[in-house]
Amino acid sequence: MPEPLFTLDNTKPFRDQAIPGHNRWHPDIPPVATVRPGETFRVDCREWFDGHIRNDDSAGDVLTAPFHTGHQLSGPFEIAGAKPGDLLVVDIVDVGPISEGTSGPLAGEGWGYTGIFPRTNGGGLLTHRFPDAYKAIWDFNEGTATSRHIPEVRLKSKVHPGVMGTAPSAKLLSRWNRREAALTARNPLRVPPLALPPLAEGALLGGVEQDRAAEVAVTAAQTAPPRENGGNQDIKNLTRGTRIFYPVYVDGGMLSVGDLHYCQGDGEITLCGAIEMGGWIDLHVDLIPSGMRTYHLEDSPAFLPGDPEPRYEEWISFSGISVTGRGRQKYLDARLAYQQACLHAINYLTSFGYTPEQAYLLLGAAPVEGRLSGVVDFPNACATVYIPTAIFDFDVRPSAGTPHQVSQATPLPHAPASDVPREKTLRAVPVAKRALLPEASSIGTYLAGTARHLLPETLSRRLGGKSRGQR
């Protein structure tokens, strides 16, 4: 086993560990360890919500999941000799859950979860059709996940990190904050939000000294989106045997990793669409000096996919075009086309007795393939979703006979979005401003003070009165 450089005590919350991790991106978060190019090391990872989600038959925990706290990231790890402009070469040597077969209270200890987030807490690709919270629990056994909430399905493990990346430079961080603030300014109280600006509440900043924590927290970027440094890319192919080339923006590179998934479909369409879990990952690192400019990778990582197991030979596929369910034509809208492909797949699966919510969860968790099949034949983009037939315990193909009906035993846990208190609704500018910005008397004061340089004046003006989307 490689040398463990970041170990977790499973009896303690992530923020109470002997070596603190982080849940924000910022160049001033100090490293937890230094590794040399050519070394391999092991990292423990905690699941996204740090134990908030429970192995039970209630969706109340998904309804109230603390979305704005961000992913629990292990690291950062300083790579000796790494300089801005280099490429950091990261090999995923091995990766797995905390345990299989032996169940414990934490996701990853023999089980994981998939959730449909309510519209009031982030939503998902199809939140207009599925506004409420739902949850499915998956049990792990010998590399296979089964669920009491989605019967007659078996998913082979394809474990991968949802989040991995290098630290941004101060310049890059400022660029992120400015462009995302400009987007937020279009409708700052939109639900779900257009973007999430830096928020102080729940910020975990690793080894940042206490007297600087407040300063760092109001500029540190949240981990929800993918960005130039990698981040929350949620690529299901970043599994064992993958080699990734990350841009280096700061001395040491400062690599962080977390948000492990047991399995996932392309797009992770329910937002919490993967089978979320904690676990461990073995990484090998190296450097390509000045590689960013040489290979024109200044603004994005590249990767060589690893072992493609499990391999599937037969698929059932569904297509969608850029026309809304009400018949409104859109111009080459690939996201809409993928939404429609997923809806067609969901409608098809209900023929076998699955509820639409079960089918939606399954498309997020199963290793479905999502493809842009046509993006030039105006006015319609065409997207397709491919479902491996082997994941079902029955023949899922169309036939002249009566469709098989799955045996429903445990009802799918459900919690209505209307049960989320108004002050807990996820917004770019939350209703409970004081809770998130304790040193500001109002969001206007906040914008006029420490963070004025982050946010455009249009956002401040809109917040002065009623905003579009305000309730």
PDB file of all heavy atoms in Angstrom, residues 347-360:
ATOM      1  N   ASN A 347     -39.562   7.952 -19.519  1.00  0.00           N
ATOM      2  CA  ASN A 347     -40.905   7.515 -19.902  1.00  0.00           C
ATOM      3  C   ASN A 347     -40.908   6.049 -20.316  1.00  0.00           C
ATOM      4  O   ASN A 347     -41.834   5.289 -19.980  1.00  0.00           O
ATOM      5  CB  ASN A 347     -41.447   8.392 -21.038  1.00  0.00           C
ATOM      6  CG  ASN A 347     -41.794   9.793 -20.585  1.00  0.00           C
ATOM      7  OD1 ASN A 347     -42.017  10.028 -19.400  1.00  0.00           O
ATOM      8  ND2 ASN A 347     -41.816  10.730 -21.507  1.00  0.00           N
ATOM      9  N   TYR A 348     -39.863   5.634 -21.030  1.00  0.00           N
ATOM     10  CA  TYR A 348     -39.769   4.241 -21.460  1.00  0.00           C
ATOM     11  C   TYR A 348     -39.659   3.311 -20.252  1.00  0.00           C
ATOM     12  O   TYR A 348     -40.339   2.272 -20.179  1.00  0.00           O
ATOM     13  CB  TYR A 348     -38.551   4.067 -22.374  1.00  0.00           C
ATOM     14  CG  TYR A 348     -38.331   2.638 -22.818  1.00  0.00           C
ATOM     15  CD1 TYR A 348     -39.003   2.128 -23.925  1.00  0.00           C
ATOM     16  CD2 TYR A 348     -37.440   1.804 -22.139  1.00  0.00           C
ATOM     17  CE1 TYR A 348     -38.808   0.816 -24.334  1.00  0.00           C
ATOM     18  CE2 TYR A 348     -37.243   0.489 -22.546  1.00  0.00           C
ATOM     19  CZ  TYR A 348     -37.928   0.004 -23.642  1.00  0.00           C
ATOM     20  OH  TYR A 348     -37.742  -1.299 -24.048  1.00  0.00           O
ATOM     21  N   LEU A 349     -38.831   3.657 -19.275  1.00  0.00           N
ATOM     22  CA  LEU A 349     -38.609   2.781 -18.122  1.00  0.00           C
ATOM     23  C   LEU A 349     -39.844   2.643 -17.246  1.00  0.00           C
ATOM     24  O   LEU A 349     -40.005   1.649 -16.539  1.00  0.00           O
ATOM     25  CB  LEU A 349     -37.419   3.299 -17.304  1.00  0.00           C
ATOM     26  CG  LEU A 349     -36.050   3.150 -17.980  1.00  0.00           C
ATOM     27  CD1 LEU A 349     -34.969   3.839 -17.156  1.00  0.00           C
ATOM     28  CD2 LEU A 349     -35.708   1.693 -18.215  1.00  0.00           C
ATOM     29  N   THR A 350     -40.731   3.621 -17.294  1.00  0.00           N
ATOM     30  CA  THR A 350     -41.969   3.481 -16.521  1.00  0.00           C
ATOM     31  C   THR A 350     -42.850   2.353 -17.070  1.00  0.00           C
ATOM     32  O   THR A 350     -43.744   1.873 -16.368  1.00  0.00           O
ATOM     33  CB  THR A 350     -42.771   4.797 -16.496  1.00  0.00           C
ATOM     34  OG1 THR A 350     -43.151   5.156 -17.830  1.00  0.00           O
ATOM     35  CG2 THR A 350     -41.973   5.924 -15.861  1.00  0.00           C
ATOM     36  N   SER A 351     -42.583   1.906 -18.299  1.00  0.00           N
ATOM     37  CA  SER A 351     -43.337   0.784 -18.864  1.00  0.00           C
ATOM     38  C   SER A 351     -43.135  -0.493 -18.055  1.00  0.00           C
ATOM     39  O   SER A 351     -43.975  -1.400 -18.098  1.00  0.00           O
ATOM     40  CB  SER A 351     -42.906   0.529 -20.316  1.00  0.00           C
ATOM     41  OG  SER A 351     -43.078   1.661 -21.122  1.00  0.00           O
ATOM     42  N   PHE A 352     -42.028  -0.556 -17.315  1.00  0.00           N
ATOM     43  CA  PHE A 352     -41.696  -1.755 -16.552  1.00  0.00           C
ATOM     44  C   PHE A 352     -42.045  -1.619 -15.071  1.00  0.00           C
ATOM     45  O   PHE A 352     -41.644  -2.443 -14.258  1.00  0.00           O
ATOM     46  CB  PHE A 352     -40.207  -2.070 -16.720  1.00  0.00           C
ATOM     47  CG  PHE A 352     -39.821  -2.295 -18.151  1.00  0.00           C
ATOM     48  CD1 PHE A 352     -39.321  -1.258 -18.928  1.00  0.00           C
ATOM     49  CD2 PHE A 352     -39.980  -3.536 -18.744  1.00  0.00           C
ATOM     50  CE1 PHE A 352     -38.987  -1.453 -20.261  1.00  0.00           C
ATOM     51  CE2 PHE A 352     -39.637  -3.749 -20.078  1.00  0.00           C
ATOM     52  CZ  PHE A 352     -39.150  -2.701 -20.839  1.00  0.00           C
ATOM     53  N   GLY A 353     -42.785  -0.584 -14.732  1.00  0.00           N
ATOM     54  CA  GLY A 353     -43.254  -0.422 -13.370  1.00  0.00           C
ATOM     55  C   GLY A 353     -42.428   0.506 -12.509  1.00  0.00           C
ATOM     56  O   GLY A 353     -42.765   0.719 -11.334  1.00  0.00           O
ATOM     57  N   TYR A 354     -41.347   1.062 -13.047  1.00  0.00           N
ATOM     58  CA  TYR A 354     -40.588   2.059 -12.286  1.00  0.00           C
ATOM     59  C   TYR A 354     -41.373   3.362 -12.240  1.00  0.00           C
ATOM     60  O   TYR A 354     -42.058   3.727 -13.204  1.00  0.00           O
ATOM     61  CB  TYR A 354     -39.226   2.326 -12.930  1.00  0.00           C
ATOM     62  CG  TYR A 354     -38.256   1.185 -12.830  1.00  0.00           C
ATOM     63  CD1 TYR A 354     -37.841   0.491 -13.965  1.00  0.00           C
ATOM     64  CD2 TYR A 354     -37.739   0.788 -11.595  1.00  0.00           C
ATOM     65  CE1 TYR A 354     -36.938  -0.560 -13.877  1.00  0.00           C
ATOM     66  CE2 TYR A 354     -36.840  -0.266 -11.498  1.00  0.00           C
ATOM     67  CZ  TYR A 354     -36.449  -0.930 -12.643  1.00  0.00           C
ATOM     68  OH  TYR A 354     -35.565  -1.982 -12.556  1.00  0.00           O
ATOM     69  N   THR A 355     -41.278   4.072 -11.133  1.00  0.00           N
ATOM     70  CA  THR A 355     -41.827   5.418 -11.093  1.00  0.00           C
ATOM     71  C   THR A 355     -40.902   6.342 -11.885  1.00  0.00           C
ATOM     72  O   THR A 355     -39.717   6.034 -12.083  1.00  0.00           O
ATOM     73  CB  THR A 355     -41.944   5.935  -9.658  1.00  0.00           C
ATOM     74  OG1 THR A 355     -40.619   6.127  -9.117  1.00  0.00           O
ATOM     75  CG2 THR A 355     -42.723   4.962  -8.780  1.00  0.00           C
ATOM     76  N   PRO A 356     -41.399   7.485 -12.359  1.00  0.00           N
ATOM     77  CA  PRO A 356     -40.506   8.425 -13.053  1.00  0.00           C
ATOM     78  C   PRO A 356     -39.313   8.828 -12.189  1.00  0.00           C
ATOM     79  O   PRO A 356     -38.202   8.991 -12.704  1.00  0.00           O
ATOM     80  CB  PRO A 356     -41.414   9.615 -13.353  1.00  0.00           C
ATOM     81  CG  PRO A 356     -42.784   9.021 -13.438  1.00  0.00           C
ATOM     82  CD  PRO A 356     -42.806   7.934 -12.404  1.00  0.00           C
ATOM     83  N   GLU A 357     -39.526   8.955 -10.882  1.00  0.00           N
ATOM     84  CA  GLU A 357     -38.424   9.351  -9.990  1.00  0.00           C
ATOM     85  C   GLU A 357     -37.366   8.252  -9.888  1.00  0.00           C
ATOM     86  O   GLU A 357     -36.164   8.536  -9.851  1.00  0.00           O
ATOM     87  CB  GLU A 357     -38.980   9.695  -8.606  1.00  0.00           C
ATOM     88  CG  GLU A 357     -39.836  10.955  -8.565  1.00  0.00           C
ATOM     89  CD  GLU A 357     -41.245  10.755  -9.092  1.00  0.00           C
ATOM     90  OE1 GLU A 357     -41.687   9.568  -9.195  1.00  0.00           O
ATOM     91  OE2 GLU A 357     -41.917  11.765  -9.385  1.00  0.00           O
ATOM     92  N   GLN A 358     -37.802   6.997  -9.830  1.00  0.00           N
ATOM     93  CA  GLN A 358     -36.837   5.898  -9.813  1.00  0.00           C
ATOM     94  C   GLN A 358     -36.014   5.881 -11.097  1.00  0.00           C
ATOM     95  O   GLN A 358     -34.793   5.690 -11.067  1.00  0.00           O
ATOM     96  CB  GLN A 358     -37.562   4.559  -9.650  1.00  0.00           C
ATOM     97  CG  GLN A 358     -38.091   4.295  -8.256  1.00  0.00           C
ATOM     98  CD  GLN A 358     -38.898   3.009  -8.199  1.00  0.00           C
ATOM     99  OE1 GLN A 358     -39.734   2.748  -9.068  1.00  0.00           O
ATOM    100  NE2 GLN A 358     -38.660   2.205  -7.169  1.00  0.00           N
ATOM    101  N   ALA A 359     -36.672   6.091 -12.227  1.00  0.00           N
ATOM    102  CA  ALA A 359     -35.968   6.091 -13.506  1.00  0.00           C
ATOM    103  C   ALA A 359     -34.984   7.257 -13.593  1.00  0.00           C
ATOM    104  O   ALA A 359     -33.868   7.110 -14.119  1.00  0.00           O
ATOM    105  CB  ALA A 359     -36.977   6.157 -14.644  1.00  0.00           C
ATOM    106  N   TYR A 360     -35.377   8.408 -13.094  1.00  0.00           N
ATOM    107  CA  TYR A 360     -34.501   9.587 -13.076  1.00  0.00           C
ATOM    108  C   TYR A 360     -33.257   9.313 -12.238  1.00  0.00           C
ATOM    109  O   TYR A 360     -32.110   9.565 -12.669  1.00  0.00           O
ATOM    110  CB  TYR A 360     -35.304  10.765 -12.536  1.00  0.00           C
ATOM    111  CG  TYR A 360     -34.634  12.122 -12.543  1.00  0.00           C
ATOM    112  CD1 TYR A 360     -33.642  12.465 -13.452  1.00  0.00           C
ATOM    113  CD2 TYR A 360     -35.055  13.106 -11.635  1.00  0.00           C
ATOM    114  CE1 TYR A 360     -33.058  13.729 -13.445  1.00  0.00           C
ATOM    115  CE2 TYR A 360     -34.488  14.369 -11.630  1.00  0.00           C
ATOM    116  CZ  TYR A 360     -33.493  14.673 -12.528  1.00  0.00           C
ATOM    117  OH  TYR A 360     -32.922  15.931 -12.526  1.00  0.00           O
TER     118      TYR A 360
END
